[in-house]
Amino acid sequence: LRGMSAKDLAALLSRLARALRPYRGMCAIALVAILIDVAYGAVSAMSFGWLLDKAILPRDEGMLWGLVGVLAVAVVVASAVGVALDWVQVTAGSRVANDTRKALFAKLCEMSVADVDALPPGDFVTRYSVDLSAIEVTVGGALPALVRAVTSFVVGLVLLFVLDVRLGAIS
């Protein structure tokens, strides 16, 4: 993305959105899974304070077991969501790459022999190997990681303001 103009970036994002359109359902599942994962991360970080303040220091055994139970359920749910997210990422990435592979092949079939012969040597092979792998990695890994990072940042910032307005403002 370095050195890419705003116009080129907009064109790239537009193409990516078109490529993902048939997989809106998977994208929605991935987004919900990322939100659950980020929420779990925030809640688990705050749970130590709750355990100390509401259960351990007041010596409230009922509250302790209740919080431990909730956290245990949260771990199981977060793990299941993580597995679902991994499946969606791999499946969507490979399907988008396969769709692109089919489109490239269809384009090759439409070209005349002279047009194919005019291509630089190895150009089509490079597109099939390197470029398609990059598409699969982007859709299956980099894009969800970017969404997770932005979501984590926003949730963390909101939590800072909720916990202490001064700390949030400093951050």
Side-chain angles (χ1 to χ4, degrees), residues 6-154:
K7 182 180 176 183
D8 292 339
L9 182 60
L12 176 68
L13 292 175
S14 175
R15 279 186 177 166
L16 185 59
R18 278 195 312 273
L20 288 172
R21 192 171 294 134
Y23 307 105
R24 284 186 299 261
M26 285 185 176
C27 291
I29 291 170
L31 183 60
V32 168
I34 288 169
L35 291 173
I36 290 171
D37 184 53
V38 169
Y40 169 73
V43 167
S44 66
M46 294 177 62
S47 67
F48 294 110
W50 296 335
L51 282 169
L52 280 172
D53 295 341
K54 303 212 183 285
I56 294 173
L57 292 178
R59 298 185 184 272
D60 187 344
E61 193 174 326
M63 178 62 80
L64 175 67
W65 288 113
L67 286 171
V68 168
V70 167
L71 290 172
V73 170
V75 166
V76 171
V77 169
S79 298
V81 165
V83 169
L85 179 59
D86 288 346
W87 178 83
V88 167
Q89 286 177 234
V90 169
T91 303
S94 63
R95 287 183 183 176
V96 168
N98 194 42
D99 292 349
T100 307
R101 188 176 290 112
K102 288 177 185 176
L104 275 172
F105 185 72
K107 181 70 175 172
L108 178 65
C109 290
E110 292 173 1
M111 295 173 70
S112 68
V113 173
D115 289 339
V116 172
D117 196 39
L119 290 173
D123 185 61
F124 222 76
V125 172
T126 300
R127 299 230 184 270
Y128 258 90
S129 58
V130 177
D131 293 356
L132 286 172
S133 293
I135 289 170
E136 193 166 356
V137 167
T138 299
V139 171
L143 189 60
L146 176 65
V147 171
R148 177 182 280 123
V150 169
T151 306
S152 294
F153 174 76
V154 170

